[in-house]
Amino acid sequence: MLEDIKAFLRRITHPIYSSQFWRKPKFWKGFSLIVLLLFILGSSSFTLWMLSLDVSKLQSPLARPTYIYDQNGDKVSELSSSKIDPVSLEKVPQTLRDAVIDTEDRRFYEHNGVDLWSIMRALSRDLQTGDFSEGGSTITQQLAKNLFLPSDKTISRKITEAAYALKIELTLSKDQILEEYLNQIYFGEGQWGIQNAARYYFGKNVEGLNLEESALLAGLPQAPSIYSPLNDKEKALERRNLVLSLMNDQGNITDAEYQRARSAPITLRKGSLNNLSGKFAPYVDCVIEEAISRYGFTEDQLLTGGLQIYTAMDPKVQLAAETVYKNDQYFPSGKSDQSVQSGIAILDQHTGGIRGLVGYRGESAFRSFNHATQLKRQPGSAIKPLTVYGPALEKGYTPFSQLYDGPLSINGYTPQDYDYQNRGEVTMEEALQYSWNIPAVWLLNEIGLDTGLSFGQKAGLPLTEKDKTLSLALGGISDGVSPLQMAQAYGTFANLGTMNKAYAITKITSEEGYVFAQMEPESVQVTSPQNAYTMTQLLENVVDNGTGKNAEIGRPTAGKTGSVELPHTQEFSGITKGSKDVWFVGYTPELTAAIWMGYDKTDRNHYLSTSGGTEPASVFREVLSKALKTAPITNFEVPLGYTDPWQSNPFDSFGDQKNNSKNKNDKNSEKTPSQNWKDRLFKRFGLDSNSFDSWFNSGNGKKKDSQK
């Protein structure tokens, strides 16, 4: 054959034959051979090209959103990397399938991906108009166009579209193609896929659509903006009724069904769309972090795997925290180039469940730095109950134990109180109430660094041998802590000595209910119930009469402030008052919370001039007040057989600060420690120390003493 073609070409190009070659039979024989050869080569090349096209994307499972549930099992948030919420074809009503096929591609189950008659008809019109805007595409071709091709309208694009359609038909069954199409097609108003469209327009899942709703949705893909019922109800109604007539013509609905459906008005959903995407984002970030670090899931699995994640979140608590964090009045003013950041973690100390969490202020990108869980900053004086006073109670110290408060230098370490004064001796209760540093360092040295370090480690703080220094008493640790770790640790005192490891996730399942991961409670008995309750009363006094007064919320509340001074470096020389980090950690009988504030990058132009007792304590007050607004007021649980040191102390059993802490209007905090002790002494016997002072200073007291 090839030799015949060559001979034919030589003859027709010869001058003698060039003018008459087309009249001879041999010409037509050669011409036919060339056309046949070109057809064979062209079709073979097209087939090889078509087979080489990659349509593996269709065989990958469609990305399914992951849903987050709160502590009550209610769905509260959606997590997805896709604009589509896919459904299986089994969930799509038959009337909707028929409506789509009758409207878009009535020969769908008959052709092989390309309907030649429709293509030729559309191509003829395109050639006449020159704009190549005619349809003629099958459902398979539309799927190919949506997934693999640009939106330009050219002959080459249509050829490529046909090739992809043929390859898709070789790869998937007709039902699989229809399912992919329904999940991928655009239905207007930003809604991709039939499930999203059903929810958006009618407020229901796809399986709940009736005949007229199915017909309306089937009419949208051709021109979503024109036929959207939100843009033009009349055009939408006309288009819907056209779809119904096509279904009637194809025998998929009866005349009676057609008449009933076309007479029905368009009824859209009422109210706003309940869109769970992006809700409670700060907490969801924590959930993702925990699912990856604790249970080994990947981010892709969480975004596309259709997981059901059940959590310990309380929406009231989470909403309270998010509301406060959106209000700038509760936070220090930042700078134009950098705002003051903050993080809060709120736990149920009885279980360890994270009820609420916010990891940043302002707008944040997906999975940005979480200041509630990923932060590593020194806690300042907020650590004292965990590394000094808690372990001291274990060693037999009491709230009335006398602690040294004078000039101190231990192996070159010379702490100072914040007021640069000394009181000689103070009680443990006073040292904690006023957050004096020297007594804390002196006491840690007395009980031993190992004792303080061990107690903090048992409470869950990330302490190492590098932290075995006296600066441990004041929060000077090597790696730092997060609000979540501090809240978890303080939960020890709030839960009568038992620390429950914090968690956000209770379980992770598939859509069908298969359990992939289950939370296993982890508890550590850090201290005795008696000592934990004594510490709670000491920390109640801090809130009632000490540095944490701004945290008082009208119900039993215990807590501690913390501030971290600026480093003593050349950069900060000349700044007499400034902080790098400020904290408040506190708890009620129901919840434990820790708040940190500071700059992401602290330098000479970015530091705090506040303390843990101001804004952090105020944030605690606002968040907990809102979170517990409807909760009944209860007292901290008293352990069985508790011996009250405020009643048994031989030196000062006179009602003392424990009783004062129950009086929320007590003003003794404005007095000196010695005045407080005098007040408590006289209060025990129902006397007024101020009246006594007036009486004694008048000379009556001295006169009686001399007469006696």
Side-chain angles (χ1 to χ4, degrees):
M1 179 185 292
L2 186 58
E3 291 300 323
D4 290 339
I5 293 173
K6 288 180 178 179
F8 170 74
L9 292 174
R10 282 196 298 270
R11 284 196 297 270
I12 65 174
T13 56
H14 194 280
I16 298 176
Y17 296 100
S18 59
S19 60
Q20 303 180 22
F21 72 90
W22 56 271
R23 296 180 179 179
K24 299 182 180 182
K26 289 185 178 181
F27 163 77
W28 292 109
K29 179 182 177 182
F31 181 77
S32 299
L33 289 173
I34 292 175
V35 171
L36 178 62
L37 180 60
L38 291 176
F39 176 78
I40 293 172
L41 290 174
S43 59
S44 299
S45 299
F46 180 85
T47 301
L48 291 173
W49 171 56
M50 180 267 293
L51 292 174
S52 70
L53 295 175
D54 182 12
V55 294
S56 59
K57 183 178 181 180
L58 286 168
Q59 295 174 294
S60 301
L62 285 173
R64 293 169 295 160
T66 287
Y67 289 103
I68 312 295
Y69 297 80
D70 66 14
Q71 63 174 347
N72 302 314
D74 295 326
K75 190 182 291 184
V76 293
S77 190
E78 177 184 333
L79 185 63
S80 178
S81 65
S82 173
K83 57 191 175 187
I84 298 168
D85 187 358
V87 291
S88 64
L89 191 62
E90 288 75 21
K91 291 185 178 181
V92 179
Q94 187 62 48
T95 53
L96 177 55
R97 302 188 213 178
D98 292 338
V100 170
I101 291 172
D102 291 345
T103 305
E104 295 294 328
D105 185 6
R106 68 182 61 179
R107 287 175 16 90
F108 172 68
Y109 282 102
E110 299 170 18
H111 60 66
N112 293 318
V114 178
D115 192 339
L116 291 178
W117 290 111
S118 296
I119 289 289
M120 294 304 296
R121 186 171 57 250
L123 184 58
S124 174
R125 294 195 187 101
D126 285 342
L127 291 173
Q128 291 175 18
T129 61
D131 62 0
F132 302 102
S133 60
E134 276 294 324
S137 295
T138 63
I139 283 177
T140 313
Q141 286 175 275
Q142 292 181 55
L143 177 62
K145 178 178 65 176
N146 285 344
L147 288 180
F148 305 114
L149 299 171
S151 58
D152 61 307
K153 296 178 179 180
T154 61
I155 291 180
S156 62
R157 200 271 292 159
K158 289 199 173 188
I159 293 173
T160 306
E161 177 186 291
Y164 268 108
L166 293 170
K167 178 63 179 289
I168 290 171
E169 291 275 346
L170 292 174
T171 307
L172 303 179
S173 69
K174 286 290 187 179
D175 282 350
Q176 289 174 321
I177 293 170
L178 182 59
E179 180 179 298
E180 288 279 349
Y181 174 81
L182 290 172
N183 281 311
Q184 300 282 0
I185 204 70
Y186 182 60
F187 288 88
E189 305 295 339
Q191 305 307 307
W192 294 83
I194 193 65
Q195 174 75 330
N196 286 342
R199 287 176 178 168
Y200 185 81
Y201 290 109
F202 303 112
K204 58 177 69 174
N205 291 326
V206 66
E207 55 264 38
L209 294 172
N210 59 31
L211 173 57
E212 53 266 30
E213 291 166 344
S214 297
L216 188 146
L217 293 182
L220 289 175
Q222 188 178 98
S225 61
I226 295 175
Y227 298 127
S228 169
L230 300 180
N231 289 341
D232 192 326
K233 260 195 175 181
E234 288 187 9
K235 286 187 178 179
L237 188 63
E238 290 176 7
R239 178 66 176 169
R240 184 202 71 177
N241 291 343
L242 174 61
V243 173
L244 289 170
S245 68
L246 293 173
M247 296 178 71
N248 183 237
D249 291 342
Q250 295 300 312
N252 287 317
I253 59 174
T254 65
D255 291 341
E257 288 173 323
Y258 167 66
Q259 292 298 334
R260 183 199 59 78
R262 76 182 305 276
S263 300
I266 293 177
T267 304
L268 303 176
R269 64 172 173 81
K270 296 180 179 179
S272 60
L273 183 67
N274 185 22
N275 187 4
L276 297 178
S277 180
K279 285 196 70 176
F280 302 124
Y283 195 97
V284 171
D285 282 350
C286 173
V287 169
I288 296 172
E289 187 181 327
E290 186 172 306
I292 293 172
S293 62
R294 186 177 291 190
Y295 297 111
F297 285 87
T298 65
E299 183 179 295
D300 184 63
Q301 289 172 328
L302 296 171
L303 293 174
T304 65
L307 301 174
Q308 314 297 300
I309 304 181
Y310 296 84
T311 74
M313 186 186 78
D314 183 336
K316 295 193 300 294
V317 177
Q318 180 65 25
L319 188 59
E322 290 188 30
T323 300
V324 172
Y325 266 67
K326 290 176 182 176
N327 193 331
D328 292 341
Q329 69 170 309
Y330 300 118
F331 298 87
S333 299
K335 299 297 178 67
S336 59
D337 62 333
Q338 190 180 167
S339 63
V340 174
Q341 271 299 341
S342 182
I344 181 172
I346 310 162
L347 310 182
D348 178 350
Q349 59 262 20
H350 308 295
T351 65
I354 302 174
R355 297 295 185 232
L357 180 145
V358 178
Y360 43 79
R361 291 183 64 216
E363 297 299 323
S364 181
F366 175 68
R367 291 195 68 196
S368 61
F369 186 78
N370 191 322
H371 297 86
T373 60
Q374 297 174 311
L375 186 80
K376 290 185 178 182
R377 293 291 181 95
Q378 295 185 349
S381 293
I383 205 173
K384 290 175 180 176
L386 298 165
T387 58
V388 180
Y389 298 117
L393 291 175
E394 287 284 300
K395 285 287 189 178
Y397 285 78
T398 72
F400 310 105
S401 296
Q402 297 293 300
L403 310 182
Y404 177 74
D405 183 26
L408 184 66
S409 179
I410 303 175
N411 297 325
Y413 186 62
T414 56
Q416 295 288 332
D417 290 336
Y418 66 86
D419 59 0
Y420 299 101
Q421 296 183 19
N422 301 129
R423 281 146 287 271
E425 282 191 342
V426 295
T427 66
M428 181 192 295
E429 181 181 46
E430 291 171 330
L432 191 55
Q433 174 181 338
Y434 294 101
S435 198
W436 288 322
N437 292 334
I438 293 174
V441 174
W442 177 86
L443 181 57
L444 178 59
N445 188 61
E446 291 293 307
I447 64 174
L449 290 171
D450 286 327
T451 300
L453 188 73
S454 175
F455 192 99
Q457 288 173 330
K458 285 194 294 182
L461 297 184
L463 304 177
T464 66
E465 288 296 308
K466 293 186 295 184
D467 298 312
K468 197 185 293 185
T469 65
L470 289 175
S471 63
L472 176 64
L474 308 182
I477 58 179
S478 55
D479 290 334
V481 292
S482 69
L484 182 60
Q485 290 169 329
M486 290 298 288
Q488 176 182 270
Y490 266 66
T492 298
F493 304 126
N495 193 42
L496 293 180
T498 300
M499 185 275 288
N500 289 309
K501 186 172 181 179
Y503 65 90
I505 298 171
T506 56
K507 67 177 178 179
I508 302 176
T509 74
S510 67
E511 288 180 291
E512 297 74 28
Y514 178 82
V515 178
F516 294 121
Q518 183 91 39
M519 189 277 299
E520 296 293 338
E522 296 182 49
S523 301
V524 178
Q525 187 68 37
V526 180
T527 187
S528 69
Q530 290 77 16
N531 287 335
Y533 184 68
T534 297
M535 179 57 69
T536 290
Q537 293 183 93
L538 287 168
L539 293 175
E540 276 192 281
N541 181 49
V542 173
V543 173
D544 293 335
N545 304 295
T547 59
K549 286 187 291 183
N550 282 333
E552 204 280 320
I553 60 175
R555 62 173 67 226
T557 306
K560 182 70 184 74
T561 58
S563 301
V564 179
E565 293 182 352
L566 294 174
H568 297 292
T569 62
Q570 181 64 35
E571 180 180 7
F572 299 103
S573 63
I575 301 175
T576 57
K577 183 181 180 181
S579 298
K580 184 175 183 289
D581 308 280
V582 292
W583 296 77
F584 184 83
V585 190
Y587 53 94
T588 68
E590 300 82 14
L591 298 170
T592 301
I595 298 102
W596 165 87
M597 292 182 191
Y599 283 102
D600 282 330
K601 181 182 179 182
T602 302
D603 55 35
R604 188 173 181 85
N605 297 317
H606 302 89
Y607 64 89
L608 302 174
S609 56
T610 185
S611 67
T614 50
E615 285 90 351
S618 297
V619 167
F620 176 92
R621 179 191 68 233
E622 294 300 318
V623 172
L624 271 291
S625 295
K626 288 177 171 60
L628 299 172
K629 185 176 181 179
T630 60
I633 296 177
T634 59
N635 292 316
F636 287 107
E637 181 183 356
V638 181
L640 292 175
Y642 180 70
T643 301
D644 192 337
W646 281 268
Q647 297 296 337
S648 60
N649 178 52
F651 176 70
D652 184 18
S653 60
F654 309 110
D656 207 65
Q657 200 72 5
K658 179 200 70 160
N659 291 326
N660 284 348
S661 68
K662 308 305 179 188
N663 178 6
K664 304 303 181 185
N665 296 316
D666 188 4
K667 303 300 182 184
N668 285 339
S669 59
E670 302 300 328
K671 301 181 181 182
T672 65
S674 61
Q675 286 175 312
N676 272 328
W677 281 87
K678 188 192 301 179
D679 288 345
R680 295 197 297 275
L681 172 64
F682 282 86
K683 189 173 182 179
R684 174 65 175 169
F685 296 101
L687 300 175
D688 183 351
S689 63
N690 292 324
S691 299
F692 175 80
D693 287 341
S694 299
W695 171 78
F696 185 83
N697 292 331
S698 68
N700 294 330
K702 296 179 182 179
K703 182 178 181 181
K704 289 185 178 181
D705 287 342
S706 62
Q707 288 176 343
K708 182 178 178 181

